Amino acid sequence: MSDQGTAGPEQGETAPFLRALAGETLPTPPIWLMRQAGRYLPEYRELRARAGSFLDLCYTPDFATEVTLQPIRRFGFDAAILFSDILVVPHALGQDVRFVEGEGPRLDPVTTLAEFDRLKPEIDLGFLSPVYETVARVRAALAPETALIGFCGAPYTVATYMVAGRGGDEQAPARLLAYREPDTFQTLIDRLVEASAAHLVAQLQAGAQAVQIFDSWSGDLPPAEFERWSTRPIAAICARVRAKVPGARIIAFARGAGAKFGAFAHAVPADGFGLATAEDRLAARAAAPAGVALQGNVDPLALMAGGPALDAAVDACVRDLSGGPFILNLGHGVRQHTPPEHVAQLVARARRTA
Ligand SMILES: Cc1c2[nH]c(c1CCC(=O)O)Cc1[nH]c(c(CCC(=O)O)c1C)Cc1[nH]c(c(CCC(=O)O)c1C)Cc1[nH]c(c(C)c1CCC(=O)O)C2
């Protein structure tokens, strides 16, 4: 890409996505979308039908590599995201995890210290070796200007699934446990900090060039609980990852942080922060530390709608955020019934030269 940023590239990074994460303000935003691979793509549905279960897809490098690359071929995004799931971490801690067709994830709930102690004390990275193999294969298949993102769920969000055994219900089982037995919940969170950091380090060592930490459910927590169960554990993961991989690029996405975003962005030493759909972009920029990249936040439903509403949503996002380091994304994942042509429209609109 011949675009000149306002600050010189750091560490010789040439991929626009990595330049934005390094703090450059680029004239055209790099683009990737949460859930850019998946059921809205016919080529995914075709492969998924052959692969068997969703987890078989995640743990078979041939399949997972192909699915990761599908949206890159179709849309030419600036970054690929590893095809996997946040729930492979509890799986690799020995918890039973399955995905029920049309319903979502199901786990055997763990709610007591005795049950936690029946899990493995540390994450079994050997169990996840097909995931790291996928990372290496995807990196080898990508052009240098296309970055590869690894990820994990934040401890709080993963804990909500581990404790409830499923999603939904405002994460009430985990929140009740955190109020009734904070020491027990802290033990679980601390284990997830170690396991998640080890999983991110393994992805970075296998070829991922940045990682995103997804905290999908912490936005509902009151400020003090948000600080304890979201901000502090995510900051601890950043420190552990950087101790092993100096200079590791990290994006933190606390979905729905709202008024808590400023404190979060100052306490978490990430390079970039994801903004959810409802966030006020200008307020977020004002609240964030200078020089961090902001990533977001086109409404996934504007993407589903397409047409002039989508163009307007893209234009507003670019207008609000392109004065600083910025990565164009959605405010949450691509919805299942999104027409693929609308994704092509988003990319063309964001890249058009004025
Ligand atoms: C909470 C959460 C999960 N998984 C994830 C989160 C955090 C982000 C968010 O809030 O959406 C993250 C995730 N899940 C998946 C990815 C792959 C990379 C990507 O394209 O973004 C990523 C980054 C694939 C997936 N993860 C899942 C699918 C659908 C699987 C299928 O049936 O083919 C995909 C493509 C399944 C999944 N996985 C999870 C749920 C609740 C579900 C069921 C809901 C659904 O089916 O959409 C847990």
Side-chain angles (χ1 to χ4, degrees):
M1 202 167 157
S2 60
D3 295 331
Q4 291 296 306
T6 53
E10 287 178 25
Q11 300 177 359
E13 282 160 350
T14 53
F17 168 87
L18 294 173
R19 289 169 58 189
L21 261 192
E24 272 191 72
T25 301
L26 301 169
T28 305
I31 309 169
W32 72 280
L33 304 182
M34 295 185 278
R35 287 287 183 93
Q36 63 191 22
R39 287 170 300 198
Y40 78 104
L41 288 177
E43 58 269 37
Y44 172 83
R45 294 195 297 271
E46 194 270 318
L47 197 144
R48 173 86 164 71
R50 281 193 283 133
S53 76
F54 171 67
L55 282 176
D56 289 337
L57 193 62
C58 292
Y59 293 140
T60 307
D62 275 349
F63 290 148
T65 301
E66 172 59 20
V67 170
T68 305
L69 295 171
Q70 283 172 347
I72 305 304
R73 288 195 203 107
R74 206 189 243 263
F75 305 114
F77 289 121
D78 294 283
I81 181 162
L82 167 72
F83 190 82
S84 180
D85 199 82
I86 64 168
L87 299 178
V88 303
V89 167
H91 207 200
L93 284 168
Q95 190 170 13
D96 191 58
V97 177
R98 56 219 173 264
F99 285 83
V100 179
E101 212 56 51
E103 290 187 38
R106 293 290 181 275
L107 301 81
D108 290 348
V110 287
T111 54
T112 64
L113 266 185
E115 284 167 348
F116 296 151
D117 283 336
R118 265 182 251 132
L119 299 178
K120 296 175 186 170
E122 284 179 16
I123 185 169
D124 183 349
L125 295 178
F127 178 84
L128 295 179
S129 61
V131 174
Y132 311 128
E133 166 78 24
T134 302
V135 170
R137 288 200 204 179
V138 172
R139 185 55 266 166
L142 288 172
E145 63 272 17
T146 311
L148 174 57
I149 307 168
F151 70 93
C152 70
Y156 176 73
T157 285
V158 174
T160 65
Y161 290 96
M162 293 179 76
V163 171
R166 57 190 297 159
D169 193 23
E170 294 178 311
Q171 299 72 52
R175 288 167 70 178
L176 284 169
L177 182 64
Y179 285 120
R180 288 176 177 146
E181 294 180 53
D183 293 345
T184 301
F185 197 64
Q186 186 75 58
T187 302
L188 175 58
I189 293 289
D190 290 347
R191 285 216 200 152
L192 285 169
V193 166
E194 302 304 334
S196 307
H199 182 46
L200 294 182
V201 167
Q203 292 174 67
L204 289 161
Q205 289 174 342
Q209 294 149 297
V211 289
Q212 176 156 317
I213 303 170
F214 286 87
D215 211 350
S216 302
W217 300 120
S218 62
D220 285 346
L221 294 172
E225 284 72 20
F226 179 84
E227 204 274 328
R228 179 168 185 185
W229 305 124
S230 178
T231 306
R232 273 195 250 163
I234 292 173
I237 291 174
C238 293
R240 279 163 180 70
V241 169
R242 296 239 177 80
K244 291 268 169 56
V245 184
R249 296 288 180 209
I250 303 173
I251 301 171
F253 178 46
R255 189 168 74 86
K260 303 176 290 259
F261 175 74
F264 178 79
H266 280 274
V268 170
D271 305 283
F273 292 92
L275 302 180
T277 307
E279 300 291 348
D280 179 323
R281 293 182 280 262
L282 299 177
R285 181 68 87 191
V292 302
L294 295 182
Q295 175 178 278
N297 75 341
V298 173
D299 188 343
L301 290 172
L303 181 65
M304 194 185 278
L310 175 58
D311 284 344
V314 171
D315 292 353
C317 192
V318 171
R319 180 195 64 222
D320 289 347
L321 289 176
S322 58
F326 166 46
I327 297 160
L328 185 73
N329 203 311
L330 302 177
H332 201 189
V334 178
R335 302 268 189 136
Q336 185 177 355
H337 299 292
T338 300
E341 315 80 74
H342 294 183
V343 176
Q345 180 190 338
L346 175 149
V347 171
R349 185 77 183 182
R351 287 191 181 149
R352 111 202 123 120
T353 40

